[in-house]
Amino acid sequence: MPPAATSAASRVAASPAKPAGKPQPLWTRSFVFGTLLNFFIAANYFMLMVVMTAYALDVYQAPASAAAFCASAFIVGTLFSRFSSAPLMERFGRTRVLVVGALLEVALTVLYLMNEPIGALIGVRLAHGFSYGMCSTAVATVITSIVPAERKGEGIGYFMLSITLGSAVGPFTGIFLSNNFGYEALFVVASAIVALSVPCALVLCIPRKTGAKASPRKADLATETAQDALAADVVQAPDERKREDAAAVSTEAEAEAAPAGSVEAAAEAPAPAHDSARVPSTRLEERIADKVEHSWLSRFVEAGVLPISIVCGLLFFGYSSLLTFLTPYATELGLARAASVFFVAYALAMFLTRPFTGRAFDRVGPHPVMVPAFASFIVGMALVAFASNDWLLLGAALLLGFGVGTVQSCGLAMAVRVTPDERLSVANATFYMMLDVGVGIGPVLLGLAVPLVGYQALYLGMALVGACSLALFLVVARTEKGVR
């Protein structure tokens, strides 16, 4: 029997070892430690972000504009890292970039203790943002590559809870420590927390089995899986193992019929389903792919991920209004007490709903899950605009937590579920890049609008932004392979 037929036969013989339809494990060691790592770096990010402007004002007596830039410089650094993270991961490997990023997070957090001049502080913030973006992109790429395809929504939902917890624990801890123990104590605790990410990153190096150095047998299996996905939408097919067996038998028959080493037989062999990007499924995605995939941008941007990334980035543009203007708006209304726990209620809603919405996404697809999330965001922003008491504002927090949390996690699941493994780093960088753009330009543009229209009109406008995001989603979702 020719070698190709022997290989095919061995795959057929080995296939019954894994029962058809048995769900793959989600809570692996790599998944747990990757999620913990993401929590540690997110907590560090939020701890420092909420106090950095006040720190620059109190310690350096900096002008308001310079103090604000000490906070926003972090976002600028993060945005730059999204462009370079994918090429770095392609060259050095995902786990190496992750470990280096975690080490840089620790070193740069310690530098805050040095009381450097204001210019150096801004430089540290830029570098810290870069390391955070590199680390968060790398860990998201590792996690999305190891989550089983049929559990993408559920797995990414749990993974995103690490950011939710970080956004709740970080601001509270940062404000409490800075008010009661001083900024030095805050920087020491922040350094200790982010230092825990280093052993987590080192553990992730052990189970990682994907990459260019994979064995020939694993490469063969990966090629077969990619071909199956192109032919029959492997994400939703329950009989994947049967089709793999049938494909292996077919390969064996073809190998026996063709002479060994035949050039013609090799030429007629099916090409891999994915070279460097997903297969476009609509004209919209085809146009984007044609413009991006054959240009220098393909090193930094995954064309198929752009549509859903832009939708989520637009929603996060609206979300940035909460980060920037909620406190002064609530103070103006006499609702400062509710505003102080607004993001706690917001994070609680995310924490309670994300596991359920992730599972629902895997079972029924994006529309039944994400359309209510967009609607929740719209209603939540309208409630913020018309809030007249604490309960209305906290009710808005719950609705917005469900809306933003669901759109973010399910949007990332849509982006990566049909992206080939070798392009996951670029896909994750593209997705987070759009979120960074939305959050980064939001305060600047909305800050110009507030003096002209006022806070209430601003939040009504953000409800309209949510409606535009929903309309765009209904168009974009059709570009996602396998959407029902």
Side-chain angles (χ1 to χ4, degrees):
M1 183 180 292
T6 303
S7 178
S10 65
R11 284 193 292 271
V12 174
S15 62
K18 184 178 178 180
K22 182 179 179 180
Q24 298 183 47
L26 173 62
W27 293 97
T28 61
R29 182 176 64 177
S30 293
F31 182 85
V32 171
F33 280 100
T35 303
L36 286 174
L37 184 152
N38 207 45
F39 166 73
F40 295 139
I41 63 174
N44 172 274
Y45 158 55
F46 285 106
M47 283 176 67
L48 298 176
M49 179 63 76
V50 296
V51 302
M52 194 52 58
T53 300
Y55 173 66
L57 289 171
D58 296 342
V59 176
Y60 293 94
Q61 302 298 310
S65 58
F69 189 67
C70 287
S72 60
F74 188 97
I75 302 297
V76 176
T78 301
L79 184 58
F80 276 109
S81 75
R82 304 301 186 193
F83 286 97
S84 56
S85 294
L88 287 173
M89 282 186 274
E90 289 176 4
R91 181 170 182 177
F92 300 106
R94 298 169 185 173
T95 50
R96 287 183 181 178
V97 171
L98 183 59
V99 171
V100 171
L103 290 171
L104 286 175
E105 284 268 296
V106 179
L108 290 166
T109 305
V110 171
L111 284 181
Y112 292 114
L113 290 165
M114 304 303 172
N115 291 323
E116 59 272 5
I118 187 69
L121 176 63
I122 292 175
V124 170
R125 291 294 290 167
L126 286 167
H128 194 182
F130 187 92
S131 67
Y132 172 78
M134 183 170 63
C135 198
S136 60
T137 302
V139 71
T141 302
V142 172
I143 292 298
T144 52
S145 68
I146 63 176
V147 170
E150 69 276 7
R151 302 182 72 179
K152 285 293 186 191
E154 179 186 2
I156 292 175
Y158 283 123
F159 172 69
M160 287 295 189
L161 285 178
S162 59
I163 301 178
T164 301
L165 289 175
S167 67
V169 172
F172 174 81
T173 305
I175 294 172
F176 176 81
L177 289 175
S178 61
N179 288 343
N180 294 278
F181 299 98
Y183 292 109
E184 287 192 0
L186 166 64
F187 296 145
V188 169
V189 173
S191 300
I193 288 177
V194 81
L196 296 174
S197 67
V198 176
C200 293
L202 293 173
V203 169
L204 279 174
C205 294
I206 300 173
R208 184 179 180 278
K209 298 181 181 180
T210 59
K213 296 184 180 180
S215 66
R217 173 172 173 77
K218 292 175 183 175
D220 290 342
L221 293 175
T223 299
E224 289 180 12
T225 303
Q227 292 169 346
D228 197 345
L230 177 63
D233 190 12
V234 72
V235 174
Q236 298 174 0
D239 297 323
E240 175 184 351
R241 179 56 58 184
K242 293 180 180 179
R243 292 200 311 278
E244 287 183 353
D245 295 348
V249 173
S250 176
T251 302
E252 179 182 0
E254 291 176 2
E256 291 177 347
S262 171
V263 176
E264 292 79 10
E268 293 176 1
H274 294 288
D275 292 325
S276 62
R278 77 171 87 192
V279 176
S281 58
T282 68
R283 292 181 180 178
L284 171 63
E285 192 169 332
E286 285 175 359
R287 290 198 196 105
I288 296 174
D290 288 340
K291 291 182 180 296
V292 174
E293 288 181 1
H294 303 293
S295 71
W296 61 272
L297 282 174
S298 62
R299 287 182 55 83
F300 310 102
V301 175
E302 174 65 11
V305 173
L306 273 176
I308 189 61
S309 301
I310 291 172
V311 171
C312 295
L314 182 60
L315 194 82
F316 267 66
F317 173 83
Y319 165 71
S320 70
S321 66
L322 299 173
L323 296 175
T324 309
F325 302 112
L326 179 70
T327 299
Y329 174 53
T331 302
E332 182 180 282
L333 295 176
L335 304 177
R337 182 178 59 178
S340 65
V341 294
F342 180 93
F343 286 102
V344 175
Y346 172 90
L348 180 63
M350 279 190 180
F351 187 81
L352 293 177
T353 59
R354 265 184 172 168
F356 302 103
T357 55
R359 291 173 187 165
F361 175 91
D362 291 328
R363 288 197 303 267
V364 300
H367 282 84
V369 178
M370 295 182 72
V371 170
F374 281 106
S376 180
F377 180 89
I378 295 168
V379 175
M381 282 297 183
L383 282 180
V384 172
F386 293 108
S388 57
N389 56 61
D390 291 349
W391 294 110
L392 277 178
L393 195 61
L394 293 179
L398 295 174
L399 289 171
L400 289 164
F402 165 67
V404 175
T406 300
V407 169
Q408 183 186 23
S409 60
C410 293
L412 180 58
M414 288 179 67
V416 303
R417 66 177 181 172
V418 288
T419 300
D421 185 78
E422 66 272 15
R423 294 288 291 180
L424 274 177
S425 58
V426 186
N428 278 281
T430 302
F431 183 82
Y432 283 108
M433 191 189 308
M434 291 298 103
L435 299 190
D436 292 339
V437 168
V439 174
I441 68 174
V444 177
L445 297 181
L446 299 178
L448 297 174
V450 166
L452 301 176
V453 301
Y455 291 119
Q456 185 179 63
L458 172 72
Y459 284 110
L460 283 176
M462 294 306 97
L464 182 60
V465 167
C468 293
S469 301
L470 172 58
L472 188 57
F473 166 77
L474 295 175
V475 176
V476 163
R478 294 174 59 244
T479 72
E480 297 297 323
K481 186 177 178 66
V483 172
R484 293 187 290 273

